[in-house]
Amino acid sequence: MTTSKTWTARAWLGAVLLLSGAFAMATEEPRYQILKTTEDYELRDYEPYRVAEVEVRGAFEEVGSQAFRILAGYIFGDNQGEAKIAMAAPVSQRPVERVSGADPGAGTRLEMTAPVTQRPAAAESDTYIISFAMPESFTLETLPRPNNPRIRLREEPAGRVAARRYSGSWSESRYRDEERRLLDALQRDGLQPHGVPIYARYNGPFSLPMLRRNEILVPLAGSPDS
């Protein structure tokens, strides 16, 4: 292994260890108000918050590690000014939707109030947007500019979501099962999805599965900004 590759591997391992510790301490997350709690989900109104995000292609269970390397670099100083940014939660993953007739290389990013319902095409997408929530103390203007041009800084607008929480495996099969349970419950209760489901993780890669907090967040029609 060359010196350059050795340094890269050590830097990556260090980032993983540091980020795992940061996750264990990361109590800050986007602000929201709980409107209702049922056996199947929690109804929340979120305030606006900032994210750093990157678009990656690949299998559901593989894209997270690709994006993790890029975004971890950003918060650990790969930005203008080499500023380190405190870790917040969650890390979110969602499929990219394409607009019919649009350039297939240009993804349409869906805000929490943008419309997409339970369409299989979204679930089968091989392109995902992975985002890190940024600390509340930053605005879009004060966040350090990323050196990597693939990273986008964006404000997630206020919105209403249904959140289903579960622990355990990060596998796609477990996620799809929980997603189906949530969507069935929303249909039963007459709530209309208004955006692609978002997969949110609140723990680091070395966390014990039984102690993990995983969530599926489904944007809903009737949000504060709709």
Side-chain angles (χ1 to χ4, degrees), residues 59-120:
F60 179 92
E61 296 179 14
E62 298 172 358
V63 291
S65 61
Q66 296 180 45
F68 185 91
R69 287 190 288 269
I70 298 169
L71 295 173
Y74 169 66
I75 70 171
F76 283 110
D78 186 16
N79 55 63
Q80 296 177 24
E82 299 183 354
K84 290 182 171 58
I85 303 170
M87 188 67 194
V91 174
S92 300
Q93 175 177 328
R94 58 182 170 173
V96 171
E97 284 270 317
R98 304 298 184 191
V99 175
S100 178
D103 177 1
T108 299
R109 291 181 295 153
L110 299 175
E111 310 299 349
M112 296 185 77
T113 55
V116 178
T117 54
Q118 308 145 358
R119 294 186 288 181

